[in-house]
């Protein structure tokens, strides 16, 4: 069974999205749920845009739609997550919208390195939190 976790950056970004007035990003949690609920670890590891492959670590950028605003995967959200080749564990690192007031167009290499450093630090400090779908 796949276990899901998140780092503090991801949790803060989700909260920031949900706090935007008029519920602009209110569907973000449902989009994550739809993408991962009852999906095998093999599917989670494959058919996505790998942005880092450092055996056994895989970091993936997943395009999510924004059904609330009728936006396709191209224009919806970007979810950055990591998994391992030898564990049934997924860690959500970051999420950002391609449109709207918190729009972000891409993630830089330095941002990605910062997220991985945060993951390592929070794992060592016991701060990684389980994310329930």
């Amino acid at each position: 069974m796949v276990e899901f976790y998140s780092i503090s950056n991801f949790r803060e970004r989700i909260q920031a999205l949900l706090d935007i007035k008029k519920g602009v990003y209110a569907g973000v949690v449902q989009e994550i749920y739809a993408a991962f609920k009852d999906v095998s670890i093999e599917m989670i590891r494959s058919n996505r845009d790998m942005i880092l492959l450092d055996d056994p670590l895989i970091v993936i950028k997943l395009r999510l739609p924004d059904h609330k605003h009728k936006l396709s995967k191209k224009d919806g959200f970007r979810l950055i997550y990591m998994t391992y080749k030898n564990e049934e564990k997924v860690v959500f690192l970051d999420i950002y919208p391609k449109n709207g007031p918190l729009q972000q167009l891409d993630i830089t290499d330095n941002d990605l390195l910062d997220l991985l450093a945060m993951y390592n630090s929070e794992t060592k400090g016991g701060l990684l939190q389980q994310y329930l779908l």
Side-chain angles (χ1 to χ4, degrees):
M1 181 173 187
V2 181
E3 292 184 340
F4 297 91
Y5 295 89
S6 65
I7 63 171
S8 59
N9 179 77
F10 175 81
R11 295 187 300 274
E12 290 166 8
R13 293 275 262 188
I14 286 284
Q15 193 58 54
L17 292 171
L18 294 174
D19 286 345
I20 293 292
K21 291 184 181 183
K22 298 183 184 175
V24 172
Y25 302 118
V28 67
V29 173
Q30 290 81 8
E31 299 298 350
I32 295 168
Y33 178 85
F36 289 94
K37 185 65 178 170
D38 298 325
V39 176
S40 71
I41 191 68
E42 291 80 19
M43 290 299 297
I44 291 170
R45 290 183 189 131
S46 65
N47 300 325
R48 309 286 193 250
D49 291 331
M50 286 186 211
I51 55 177
L52 178 67
L53 180 57
D54 187 16
D55 204 17
L57 171 75
I58 305 166
V59 179
I60 297 168
K61 175 171 60 176
L62 175 63
R63 290 167 172 80
L64 296 173
D66 183 351
H67 286 105
K68 183 174 187 279
H69 293 100
K70 298 182 175 79
L71 297 174
S72 67
K73 290 181 179 183
K74 175 183 165 236
D75 296 319
F77 300 101
R78 299 296 180 266
L79 174 63
I80 310 299
Y81 68 91
M82 60 176 275
T83 187
Y84 289 92
K85 287 183 178 180
N86 54 358
E87 293 182 46
E88 290 196 11
K89 176 176 160 181
V90 174
V91 181
F92 297 130
L93 303 174
D94 197 8
I95 190 163
Y96 56 90
K98 292 290 284 188
N99 289 289
L102 295 181
Q103 171 183 331
Q104 181 178 328
L105 298 179
D106 207 357
I107 186 166
T108 67
D109 291 343
N110 285 337
D111 290 339
L112 182 58
L113 292 174
D114 289 345
L115 291 170
L116 292 174
M118 189 179 296
Y119 164 74
N120 286 329
S121 173
E122 292 184 17
T123 298
K124 289 177 186 171
L127 301 173
L128 207 59
Q129 289 185 13
Q130 191 162 20
Y131 189 85
L132 301 175
L133 290 182

